Amino acid sequence: NNKVQIVSVCPGWVGTDIPKQDVLIYLLTLFAFDRDNYGLASIFHAMFHPDAGSVNDQTDYVVSSTIIQKFTTFYNTLLTYRWLSKLGIRQFLCDIMTYVILLLQKMTATVQFTHSSNESYNVELQNKLYKWSEEAILPWTKG
């Protein structure tokens, strides 16, 4: 589709060999998507679905579980109040949501398009994140 600028993907929790702690590896084995199987589903959906990125902002974010979509809706309606961020409540609730997603994602697995967080569409924030990302990976890109 030549109208696509970018499609974001949230594969949820995907098990990898990155963690070093046995407990974390065990938890990811139990609850995370398999990296060689369903963990790739949302990525392939974003790459090959003919509607990806084509219908305003409703097809530019792909998730691998309905629980992620439900939390995104919650996040967009409740957690946008600045005072929640200033008090640390927003981060606390996001941390809790992260672990609930880990526990429930396999039970609610489905690949679908959804609306991303409202901040995702803020060009100024996108540029700041891009600049931060470049600086964050600089130690690994120096030849």
Side-chain angles (χ1 to χ4, degrees):
N1 184 338
N2 61 1
K3 296 179 185 177
V4 175
Q5 292 183 5
I6 192 163
V7 175
S8 299
V9 177
C10 179
W13 284 84
V14 178
T16 66
D17 293 333
I18 295 171
K20 299 299 181 213
Q21 302 88 354
D22 289 339
V23 172
L24 187 53
I25 291 170
Y26 178 73
L27 287 174
L28 290 176
T29 302
L30 281 177
F31 297 109
F33 293 127
D34 184 353
R35 71 172 185 260
D36 296 325
N37 196 330
Y38 196 81
L40 299 172
S42 57
I43 296 166
F44 287 133
H45 192 79
M47 289 171 53
F48 299 117
H49 195 285
D51 292 334
S54 64
V55 183
N56 56 48
D57 62 358
Q58 296 303 312
T59 58
D60 65 351
Y61 185 53
V62 183
V63 295
S64 57
S65 169
T66 58
I67 193 72
I68 297 170
Q69 190 257 342
K70 287 179 186 352
F71 277 134
T72 302
T73 302
F74 170 75
Y75 179 90
N76 282 336
T77 54
L78 179 64
L79 297 184
T80 54
Y81 298 106
R82 291 198 181 272
W83 64 268
L84 287 173
S85 292
K86 290 182 180 185
L87 293 175
I89 296 170
R90 179 179 185 237
Q91 187 60 49
F92 175 74
L93 291 174
C94 287
D95 290 346
I96 291 173
M97 287 190 299
T98 299
Y99 295 110
V100 171
I101 288 170
L102 174 62
L103 295 174
L104 299 179
Q105 71 176 4
K106 283 187 175 179
M107 292 180 270
T108 61
T110 185
V111 176
Q112 64 185 32
F113 292 113
T114 190
H115 183 79
S116 184
S117 67
N118 294 329
E119 291 92 346
S120 298
Y121 303 100
N122 182 320
V123 175
E124 182 180 336
L125 291 176
Q126 291 171 9
N127 291 335
K128 286 180 181 180
L129 178 60
Y130 181 78
K131 183 166 178 48
W132 172 86
S133 299
E134 282 185 320
E135 292 170 7
I137 65 168
L138 196 58
W140 293 276
T141 58
K142 290 184 179 180

